[in-house]
Amino acid sequence: MRQKKKSDLLTEVELEFMNELWALGEGTVRDVLDQLPEGRNLAYTSAATILRILEQKEFVTSRKDGKRHVFVPMLAKDAYQTRSLKDLSMKLFDDTPASLVARLVDDADLSEEALGQIRALVDRRLKNDTG
Amino acid sequence: MRQKKKSDLLTEVELEFMNELWALGEGTVRDVLDQLPEGRNLAYTSAATILRILEQKEFVTSRKDGKRHVFVPMLAKDAYQTRSLKDLSMKLFDDTPASLVARLVDDADLSEEALGQIRALVDRRLKNDTG
DNA sequence: TTTGAGAAACGAAAGCTTTAGTATTAACCT
DNA sequence: AGGTTAATACTAAAGCTTTCGTTTCTCAAA
């Protein structure tokens, strides 16, 4: 039996780190640490630990560059976005993507512009499928 | 200073319980436990603990009914759905709902029917706003 | 009113997440 | 080669999540 994986999802801090790595493409512990927002104040060794864990969980690989490790995502952000949406849809939207979108477009905060963009996206996808 | 709340989001098991409560409207420990899927095999006291925690975190209230506690959601599912979507959008979609939908409709698994429903929803919302 | 069954309250253990300290190693400069 | 600097490896503590056992309580029936 393989490793016991509860959900294939990143924890909060893991996601924070993956976001930086996705933005950078790849990077060392130092690179990621420097990328974190002002006032995050995380010890270097903590950052190193997180990246080590991400490697254990196979979300990133590393290669050696001199004495440093350069970490590279093994999973594209796109793929993880899809995975997260599936998970959320499953757990909270009865596995029905339309109801997820329903909630999203019901949100009063949503701008007219965002709505227009969303419709354009859906239209384009429908055309590509049928056309 | 108020309680230190990291994210206002439910944990995995808490969400599992809230889903049952939302489905039931309200219920006792026993009610929720019986609602859980076959083979979940959770001890009665575990279920009671989860509900106690949900009450501490103010996701549910309880009233007494004889010797039993009846638990009632304090937060509607709708509201929690919105909250979750905001959180996901923020953390993984650059706070841009349109990009979330973009990823959703890119998903190859998405049925034509679901796409149609989604477009209908968006159209309806646009009409209600402008008209 | 005693007692038995089921419920609540409490406490705590096991595992995971997040953070960081200490020890060790590796590269580079002189 | 030796020393300095910066990185990695290892270990562990603190806090949170999930689970359940034990004790206490409460209602209702005999």
Side-chain angles (χ1 to χ4, degrees), chain A residues 19 91 105 119 123 125, chain B residues 19 91 105 119 123 125:
Chain A
N19 269 325
K91 286 183 181 152
V105 301
R119 181 163 66 170
D123 281 354
R125 165 66 194 270
Chain B
N19 270 325
K91 287 184 181 152
V105 302
R119 180 162 68 169
D123 280 355
R125 165 66 194 268

Side-chain angles (χ1 to χ4, degrees), chain A residues 17 29-30 33 36 40-50:
Chain A
F17 273 56
V29 173
R30 183 64 63 193
L33 199 52
L36 295 178
R40 178 62 171 82
N41 276 18
L42 190 65
Y44 178 93
T45 52
S46 305
T49 301
I50 299 295

Side-chain angles (χ1 to χ4, degrees), chain A residues 5-20:
Chain A
K5 41 180 67 178
K6 219 167 55 169
S7 75
D8 287 339
L9 291 187
L10 296 161
T11 67
E12 186 110 356
V13 175
E14 285 166 3
L15 176 55
E16 184 186 13
F17 273 56
M18 288 303 289
N19 269 325
E20 305 304 351

